[in-house]
């Protein structure tokens, strides 16, 4: 049997989680580690909520609500309704089963476990075969500086529905947060490092900005590839396109390629953006043109197979 290809994926909540699922569906061919963004974590109802870690775990466990785009399929909302009745802040909806995840995570953290240990134990309980590693165990939060003032990420994203104009992104904890040894080892030991099709500014940038992570990726012995989260000049979901524009980036696959030039050597763009290939190659990147819209398991698996294929047997 051929050796398993060690793949380490950097991911946020939606696009990255779907690609994680696609990679996991490749079965024994791939030994998968997913490094999850934690900079959009928050405290809600006294609980530690980790939207990206949970999205990744739910996708890998096959229980994600892929229609709504967050939470667990078929989840109910009794707890939310009661919390609202009791006068709790109700702008952040968490389903009942989803709430259980945050309750158990918070219990383990209060018992003194590192977030890495917590996620490892919970992923194992969900029978997830891949390793899911938070980028850091430390407190590390995106601050969205907007025309309405500095906002916590979920405040901007959910409560204010991404309406304020973004002026700047900063990371609270940037001076103190450290990447975990586990995640640095997963980058160093990978045959292939993949930057998933996630928001480059609030999902991938916080991971790469942790001390030593950019240089670890640059020094990785494996090959490095990114998948564009911008397709035909738009985000499939969320504020990525507007954020890129507000912060002076071109809203296109090429605009994202510019952000990742130097960090990866290969860039995957959608068939819809095939015309952009020469201008991305001019940035010094090899370009693969593929169907990148993962509307279901089949598309996610096919994209994952095409992303991994050049690294097979490395
Ligand atoms: P969030 O944490 O939920 O905001 O999710 P992400 O950090 O993963 O970023 C959202 C980005 O993922 C958006 O720019 C989307 O366009 C992109 N995205 C979501 N699904 C897909 C997909 O199936 N294919 C591609 N290429 N991009 C996707």
């Amino acid at each position: 049997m051929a050796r398993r290809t060690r793949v380490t994926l950097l991911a946020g909540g939606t696009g990255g989680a779907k690609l994680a699922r696609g990679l996991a569906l490749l079965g024994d061919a791939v030994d998968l580690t997913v490094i999850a963004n934690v900079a959009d974590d928050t405290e809600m109802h006294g609980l530690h909520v980790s939207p990206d870690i949970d999205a990744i775990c739910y996708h890998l466990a096959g229980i994600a609500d892929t229609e709504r785009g967050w939470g667990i399929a078929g989840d109910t909302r009794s707890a939310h309704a009661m919390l609202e009745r009791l006068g709790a802040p109700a702008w952040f909806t968490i389903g009942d089963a989803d709430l259980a995840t945050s309750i158990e995570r918070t219990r383990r953290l209060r018992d003194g476990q590192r977030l890495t240990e917590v996620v490892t134990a919970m992923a194992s309980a969900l029978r997830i075969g891949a390793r899911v590693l938070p980028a850091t165990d430390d407190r590390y939060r995106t601050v969205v500086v907007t025309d309405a003032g500095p906002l916590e990420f979920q405040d901007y994203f959910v409560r204010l529905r991404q309406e304020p104009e973004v002026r700047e992104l900063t990371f609270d904890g940037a001076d103190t947060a450290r990447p975990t040894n586990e995640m640095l080892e997963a980058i160093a030991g990978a045959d292939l490092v993949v930057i998933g099709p996630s928001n480059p500014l609030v999902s991938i940038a916080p991971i790469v900005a942790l001390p030593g992570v950019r240089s670890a990726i640059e020094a990785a012995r494996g090959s490095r590839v990114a998948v564009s989260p911008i397709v035909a000049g738009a985000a499939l979901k969320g504020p990525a396109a507007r954020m890129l524009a507000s912060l002076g980036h071109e809203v296109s696959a090429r605009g994202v390629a510019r952000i990742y030039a130097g960090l990866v050597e290969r860039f995957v763009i959608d068939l819809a953006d095939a015309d952009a290939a020469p201008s991305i190659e001019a940035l010094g990147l090899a370009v693969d043109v593929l169907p990148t819209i993962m509307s279901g398991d089949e598309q996610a698996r096919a994209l994952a197979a095409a992303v991994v294929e050049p690294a097979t047997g490395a």
Side-chain angles (χ1 to χ4, degrees):
M1 201 181 81
R3 191 166 73 77
R4 300 174 84 190
T5 307
R6 278 185 283 182
V7 178
T8 295
L9 170 72
L10 276 57
T14 314
K18 287 194 271 179
L19 188 57
R21 169 103 182 134
L23 287 161
L25 289 170
L26 298 177
D28 279 347
V30 163
D31 180 0
L32 177 63
T33 301
V34 185
I35 296 176
N37 174 43
V38 296
D40 56 7
D41 282 17
T42 192
E43 274 85 36
M44 187 55 61
H45 310 307
L47 302 173
H48 183 113
V49 177
S50 297
D52 287 354
I53 290 171
D54 291 349
I56 291 162
C57 288
Y58 297 159
H59 277 80
L60 287 170
I63 59 172
D65 187 334
T66 48
E67 252 159 58
R68 200 174 42 184
W70 54 271
I72 296 173
D75 209 352
T76 48
R77 293 198 187 166
S78 300
H80 183 78
M82 189 62 183
L83 283 162
E84 192 166 17
R85 212 173 136 191
L86 293 170
W91 53 268
F92 194 89
T93 309
I94 312 181
D96 296 333
D98 201 3
L99 193 64
T101 304
S102 288
I103 291 171
E104 176 58 3
R105 171 171 37 241
T106 306
R107 181 189 74 77
R108 287 176 181 269
L109 287 170
R110 287 192 187 144
D111 275 355
Q113 294 183 22
R114 295 193 296 136
L115 186 59
T116 299
E117 295 170 303
V118 173
V119 177
T120 300
M122 291 173 68
S124 158
L126 291 173
R127 300 190 184 287
I128 290 168
R131 270 175 303 281
V132 181
L133 298 175
T136 176
D137 287 325
D138 302 324
R139 190 191 152 80
Y140 185 54
R141 302 282 164 89
T142 297
V143 178
V144 187
V145 182
T146 71
D147 52 7
L151 300 168
E152 232 209 72
F153 183 77
Q154 297 303 339
D155 216 18
Y156 158 80
F157 191 76
V158 181
R159 189 174 69 84
L160 297 172
R161 298 159 206 269
Q162 308 132 48
E163 276 157 16
E165 200 63 37
V166 178
R167 301 273 174 241
E168 195 191 351
L169 296 165
T170 61
F171 304 119
D172 186 15
D175 294 340
T176 45
R178 293 286 171 271
T180 66
N181 289 336
E182 289 91 337
M183 81 87 112
L184 289 172
E185 280 161 18
I187 290 170
D191 298 313
L192 177 69
V193 177
V194 183
I195 295 181
S198 289
N199 187 317
L201 305 175
V202 293
S203 291
I204 303 301
I207 303 176
V208 175
L210 285 164
V213 173
R214 173 175 287 274
S215 52
I217 297 173
E218 287 167 355
R221 62 170 185 79
S223 49
R224 295 161 289 144
V225 60
V227 180
S228 179
I230 296 292
V231 175
L236 301 176
K237 175 182 169 281
R242 255 189 73 208
M243 245 182 208
L244 284 165
S246 302
L247 295 174
H249 299 278
E250 185 183 300
V251 185
S252 66
R254 183 176 55 194
V256 179
R258 278 211 186 97
I259 296 175
Y260 292 145
L263 198 58
V264 297
E265 65 244 6
R266 190 155 61 92
F267 195 66
V268 176
I269 60 174
D270 194 79
L271 296 176
D273 295 310
D275 290 356
S279 65
I280 295 172
E281 281 162 359
L283 299 170
L285 292 160
V287 176
D288 284 348
V289 184
L290 295 166
T292 71
I293 299 178
M294 295 171 280
S295 35
D297 278 358
E298 209 175 301
Q299 294 85 351
R301 187 184 192 283
L303 177 60
V307 166
V308 169
E309 204 265 337
T312 313

PDB file of all heavy atoms in Angstrom, residues 12-16 18 52 197-199 203 228-229 231 235-237 240 292-294, ligand 1:
ATOM      1  N   GLY A  12     -10.845  28.079   8.485  1.00  0.00           N
ATOM      2  CA  GLY A  12     -11.839  28.804   9.276  1.00  0.00           C
ATOM      3  C   GLY A  12     -13.102  27.960   9.298  1.00  0.00           C
ATOM      4  O   GLY A  12     -13.015  26.725   9.320  1.00  0.00           O
ATOM      5  N   GLY A  13     -14.251  28.617   9.249  1.00  0.00           N
ATOM      6  CA  GLY A  13     -15.485  27.910   9.552  1.00  0.00           C
ATOM      7  C   GLY A  13     -16.234  27.237   8.417  1.00  0.00           C
ATOM      8  O   GLY A  13     -16.779  26.159   8.620  1.00  0.00           O
ATOM      9  N   THR A  14     -16.285  27.833   7.241  1.00  0.00           N
ATOM     10  CA  THR A  14     -17.197  27.291   6.233  1.00  0.00           C
ATOM     11  C   THR A  14     -16.444  26.577   5.111  1.00  0.00           C
ATOM     12  O   THR A  14     -16.487  25.348   4.995  1.00  0.00           O
ATOM     13  CB  THR A  14     -18.065  28.406   5.615  1.00  0.00           C
ATOM     14  OG1 THR A  14     -18.557  29.214   6.665  1.00  0.00           O
ATOM     15  CG2 THR A  14     -19.220  27.834   4.832  1.00  0.00           C
ATOM     16  N   GLY A  15     -15.762  27.377   4.291  1.00  0.00           N
ATOM     17  CA  GLY A  15     -15.052  26.795   3.148  1.00  0.00           C
ATOM     18  C   GLY A  15     -14.002  25.801   3.619  1.00  0.00           C
ATOM     19  O   GLY A  15     -13.876  24.697   3.071  1.00  0.00           O
ATOM     20  N   GLY A  16     -13.250  26.192   4.640  1.00  0.00           N
ATOM     21  CA  GLY A  16     -12.200  25.316   5.168  1.00  0.00           C
ATOM     22  C   GLY A  16     -12.778  24.040   5.758  1.00  0.00           C
ATOM     23  O   GLY A  16     -12.220  22.956   5.599  1.00  0.00           O
ATOM     24  N   LYS A  18     -15.563  22.589   4.871  1.00  0.00           N
ATOM     25  CA  LYS A  18     -16.020  21.719   3.773  1.00  0.00           C
ATOM     26  C   LYS A  18     -14.844  20.994   3.121  1.00  0.00           C
ATOM     27  O   LYS A  18     -14.939  19.801   2.792  1.00  0.00           O
ATOM     28  CB  LYS A  18     -16.792  22.542   2.730  1.00  0.00           C
ATOM     29  CG  LYS A  18     -18.173  22.957   3.209  1.00  0.00           C
ATOM     30  CD  LYS A  18     -19.033  23.458   2.067  1.00  0.00           C
ATOM     31  CE  LYS A  18     -18.866  24.936   1.844  1.00  0.00           C
ATOM     32  NZ  LYS A  18     -19.667  25.450   0.724  1.00  0.00           N
ATOM     33  N   ASP A  52     -15.356  28.183  14.742  1.00  0.00           N
ATOM     34  CA  ASP A  52     -14.623  27.518  13.650  1.00  0.00           C
ATOM     35  C   ASP A  52     -14.253  26.080  14.014  1.00  0.00           C
ATOM     36  O   ASP A  52     -14.419  25.157  13.206  1.00  0.00           O
ATOM     37  CB  ASP A  52     -13.374  28.327  13.263  1.00  0.00           C
ATOM     38  CG  ASP A  52     -13.739  29.600  12.496  1.00  0.00           C
ATOM     39  OD1 ASP A  52     -14.934  29.769  12.173  1.00  0.00           O
ATOM     40  OD2 ASP A  52     -12.846  30.416  12.213  1.00  0.00           O
ATOM     41  N   PRO A 197     -10.193  27.352   1.553  1.00  0.00           N
ATOM     42  CA  PRO A 197     -10.926  28.501   1.014  1.00  0.00           C
ATOM     43  C   PRO A 197     -11.739  29.171   2.121  1.00  0.00           C
ATOM     44  O   PRO A 197     -12.960  29.068   2.158  1.00  0.00           O
ATOM     45  CB  PRO A 197     -11.813  27.882  -0.066  1.00  0.00           C
ATOM     46  CG  PRO A 197     -12.057  26.487   0.409  1.00  0.00           C
ATOM     47  CD  PRO A 197     -10.821  26.082   1.190  1.00  0.00           C
ATOM     48  N   SER A 198     -11.036  29.817   3.026  1.00  0.00           N
ATOM     49  CA  SER A 198     -11.639  30.498   4.158  1.00  0.00           C
ATOM     50  C   SER A 198     -11.345  31.979   4.030  1.00  0.00           C
ATOM     51  O   SER A 198     -10.541  32.384   3.195  1.00  0.00           O
ATOM     52  CB  SER A 198     -11.046  29.950   5.453  1.00  0.00           C
ATOM     53  OG  SER A 198     -11.500  28.640   5.686  1.00  0.00           O
ATOM     54  N   ASN A 199     -11.978  32.767   4.887  1.00  0.00           N
ATOM     55  CA  ASN A 199     -11.743  34.212   4.845  1.00  0.00           C
ATOM     56  C   ASN A 199     -10.250  34.487   5.116  1.00  0.00           C
ATOM     57  O   ASN A 199      -9.752  34.170   6.188  1.00  0.00           O
ATOM     58  CB  ASN A 199     -12.627  34.878   5.902  1.00  0.00           C
ATOM     59  CG  ASN A 199     -12.577  36.380   5.822  1.00  0.00           C
ATOM     60  OD1 ASN A 199     -11.514  36.961   5.657  1.00  0.00           O
ATOM     61  ND2 ASN A 199     -13.736  37.011   5.925  1.00  0.00           N
ATOM     62  N   SER A 203      -9.904  34.489   9.110  1.00  0.00           N
ATOM     63  CA  SER A 203      -9.755  33.065   9.450  1.00  0.00           C
ATOM     64  C   SER A 203      -8.305  32.608   9.286  1.00  0.00           C
ATOM     65  O   SER A 203      -7.760  31.948  10.166  1.00  0.00           O
ATOM     66  CB  SER A 203     -10.659  32.196   8.568  1.00  0.00           C
ATOM     67  OG  SER A 203     -12.008  32.401   8.901  1.00  0.00           O
ATOM     68  N   SER A 228      -8.646  29.325  -3.480  1.00  0.00           N
ATOM     69  CA  SER A 228      -9.269  30.648  -3.425  1.00  0.00           C
ATOM     70  C   SER A 228     -10.671  30.605  -2.822  1.00  0.00           C
ATOM     71  O   SER A 228     -11.510  29.820  -3.263  1.00  0.00           O
ATOM     72  CB  SER A 228      -9.360  31.264  -4.824  1.00  0.00           C
ATOM     73  OG  SER A 228      -9.989  32.535  -4.714  1.00  0.00           O
ATOM     74  N   PRO A 229     -10.942  31.477  -1.821  1.00  0.00           N
ATOM     75  CA  PRO A 229     -12.293  31.580  -1.281  1.00  0.00           C
ATOM     76  C   PRO A 229     -13.141  32.575  -2.075  1.00  0.00           C
ATOM     77  O   PRO A 229     -14.329  32.738  -1.768  1.00  0.00           O
ATOM     78  CB  PRO A 229     -12.053  32.105   0.136  1.00  0.00           C
ATOM     79  CG  PRO A 229     -10.831  32.955   0.002  1.00  0.00           C
ATOM     80  CD  PRO A 229      -9.995  32.347  -1.112  1.00  0.00           C
ATOM     81  N   VAL A 231     -14.697  33.464  -5.635  1.00  0.00           N
ATOM     82  CA  VAL A 231     -15.045  32.834  -6.909  1.00  0.00           C
ATOM     83  C   VAL A 231     -15.810  33.866  -7.742  1.00  0.00           C
ATOM     84  O   VAL A 231     -16.800  34.431  -7.261  1.00  0.00           O
ATOM     85  CB  VAL A 231     -15.915  31.573  -6.674  1.00  0.00           C
ATOM     86  CG1 VAL A 231     -16.382  30.974  -8.000  1.00  0.00           C
ATOM     87  CG2 VAL A 231     -15.143  30.534  -5.861  1.00  0.00           C
ATOM     88  N   ALA A 235     -17.658  36.430  -2.655  1.00  0.00           N
ATOM     89  CA  ALA A 235     -17.588  35.379  -1.638  1.00  0.00           C
ATOM     90  C   ALA A 235     -18.858  34.562  -1.759  1.00  0.00           C
ATOM     91  O   ALA A 235     -19.926  35.095  -2.066  1.00  0.00           O
ATOM     92  CB  ALA A 235     -17.483  35.989  -0.255  1.00  0.00           C
ATOM     93  N   LEU A 236     -18.753  33.247  -1.541  1.00  0.00           N
ATOM     94  CA  LEU A 236     -19.954  32.415  -1.610  1.00  0.00           C
ATOM     95  C   LEU A 236     -20.826  32.666  -0.384  1.00  0.00           C
ATOM     96  O   LEU A 236     -22.017  32.386  -0.395  1.00  0.00           O
ATOM     97  CB  LEU A 236     -19.568  30.933  -1.672  1.00  0.00           C
ATOM     98  CG  LEU A 236     -18.689  30.558  -2.867  1.00  0.00           C
ATOM     99  CD1 LEU A 236     -18.268  29.108  -2.789  1.00  0.00           C
ATOM    100  CD2 LEU A 236     -19.447  30.816  -4.162  1.00  0.00           C
ATOM    101  N   LYS A 237     -20.236  33.189   0.666  1.00  0.00           N
ATOM    102  CA  LYS A 237     -20.952  33.402   1.924  1.00  0.00           C
ATOM    103  C   LYS A 237     -20.123  34.360   2.764  1.00  0.00           C
ATOM    104  O   LYS A 237     -18.901  34.335   2.700  1.00  0.00           O
ATOM    105  CB  LYS A 237     -21.079  32.055   2.640  1.00  0.00           C
ATOM    106  CG  LYS A 237     -21.681  32.109   4.017  1.00  0.00           C
ATOM    107  CD  LYS A 237     -21.708  30.728   4.645  1.00  0.00           C
ATOM    108  CE  LYS A 237     -22.066  30.810   6.115  1.00  0.00           C
ATOM    109  NZ  LYS A 237     -20.945  31.222   6.972  1.00  0.00           N
ATOM    110  N   ALA A 240     -16.340  38.239   3.371  1.00  0.00           N
ATOM    111  CA  ALA A 240     -14.955  38.258   2.864  1.00  0.00           C
ATOM    112  C   ALA A 240     -14.763  39.290   1.747  1.00  0.00           C
ATOM    113  O   ALA A 240     -13.777  40.032   1.752  1.00  0.00           O
ATOM    114  CB  ALA A 240     -14.540  36.864   2.386  1.00  0.00           C
ATOM    115  N   THR A 292     -14.320  24.544  -7.715  1.00  0.00           N
ATOM    116  CA  THR A 292     -14.013  24.688  -6.277  1.00  0.00           C
ATOM    117  C   THR A 292     -15.254  24.877  -5.410  1.00  0.00           C
ATOM    118  O   THR A 292     -15.144  25.020  -4.203  1.00  0.00           O
ATOM    119  CB  THR A 292     -13.073  25.884  -6.002  1.00  0.00           C
ATOM    120  OG1 THR A 292     -13.791  27.097  -6.221  1.00  0.00           O
ATOM    121  CG2 THR A 292     -11.818  25.829  -6.852  1.00  0.00           C
ATOM    122  N   ILE A 293     -16.429  24.887  -6.022  1.00  0.00           N
ATOM    123  CA  ILE A 293     -17.634  25.096  -5.211  1.00  0.00           C
ATOM    124  C   ILE A 293     -18.105  23.759  -4.643  1.00  0.00           C
ATOM    125  O   ILE A 293     -18.498  22.856  -5.383  1.00  0.00           O
ATOM    126  CB  ILE A 293     -18.739  25.787  -6.037  1.00  0.00           C
ATOM    127  CG1 ILE A 293     -18.229  27.159  -6.494  1.00  0.00           C
ATOM    128  CG2 ILE A 293     -20.031  25.925  -5.209  1.00  0.00           C
ATOM    129  CD1 ILE A 293     -19.173  27.949  -7.349  1.00  0.00           C
ATOM    130  N   MET A 294     -18.012  23.658  -3.301  1.00  0.00           N
ATOM    131  CA  MET A 294     -18.304  22.378  -2.642  1.00  0.00           C
ATOM    132  C   MET A 294     -19.759  22.368  -2.175  1.00  0.00           C
ATOM    133  O   MET A 294     -20.052  22.598  -1.015  1.00  0.00           O
ATOM    134  CB  MET A 294     -17.336  22.173  -1.468  1.00  0.00           C
ATOM    135  CG  MET A 294     -15.889  22.022  -1.934  1.00  0.00           C
ATOM    136  SD  MET A 294     -14.698  22.038  -0.570  1.00  0.00           S
ATOM    137  CE  MET A 294     -14.570  23.798  -0.266  1.00  0.00           C
TER     138      MET A 294
HETATM  139  P1  LIG B   1     -16.533  31.648   8.219  1.00  0.00           P
HETATM  140  O1  LIG B   1     -15.636  31.384   9.410  1.00  0.00           O
HETATM  141  O2  LIG B   1     -17.860  30.970   8.307  1.00  0.00           O
HETATM  142  O3  LIG B   1     -16.584  33.072   7.788  1.00  0.00           O
HETATM  143  O4  LIG B   1     -15.892  30.876   7.032  1.00  0.00           O
HETATM  144  P2  LIG B   1     -14.512  30.889   6.323  1.00  0.00           P
HETATM  145  O5  LIG B   1     -13.432  31.545   7.094  1.00  0.00           O
HETATM  146  O6  LIG B   1     -14.294  29.489   5.880  1.00  0.00           O
HETATM  147  O7  LIG B   1     -14.675  31.870   5.082  1.00  0.00           O
HETATM  148  C1  LIG B   1     -15.753  32.069   4.281  1.00  0.00           C
HETATM  149  C2  LIG B   1     -15.175  32.051   2.872  1.00  0.00           C
HETATM  150  O8  LIG B   1     -15.260  30.704   2.423  1.00  0.00           O
HETATM  151  C3  LIG B   1     -15.948  32.900   1.881  1.00  0.00           C
HETATM  152  O9  LIG B   1     -15.046  33.755   1.186  1.00  0.00           O
HETATM  153  C4  LIG B   1     -16.540  31.892   0.915  1.00  0.00           C
HETATM  154  O10 LIG B   1     -16.554  32.349  -0.411  1.00  0.00           O
HETATM  155  C5  LIG B   1     -15.601  30.714   1.056  1.00  0.00           C
HETATM  156  N1  LIG B   1     -16.251  29.453   0.728  1.00  0.00           N
HETATM  157  C6  LIG B   1     -17.291  28.879   1.374  1.00  0.00           C
HETATM  158  N2  LIG B   1     -17.641  27.737   0.751  1.00  0.00           N
HETATM  159  C7  LIG B   1     -16.796  27.593  -0.316  1.00  0.00           C
HETATM  160  C8  LIG B   1     -16.670  26.621  -1.369  1.00  0.00           C
HETATM  161  O11 LIG B   1     -17.405  25.641  -1.443  1.00  0.00           O
HETATM  162  N3  LIG B   1     -15.680  26.836  -2.293  1.00  0.00           N
HETATM  163  C9  LIG B   1     -14.854  27.914  -2.256  1.00  0.00           C
HETATM  164  N4  LIG B   1     -13.904  28.051  -3.203  1.00  0.00           N
HETATM  165  N5  LIG B   1     -14.955  28.860  -1.275  1.00  0.00           N
HETATM  166  C10 LIG B   1     -15.913  28.693  -0.338  1.00  0.00           C
END
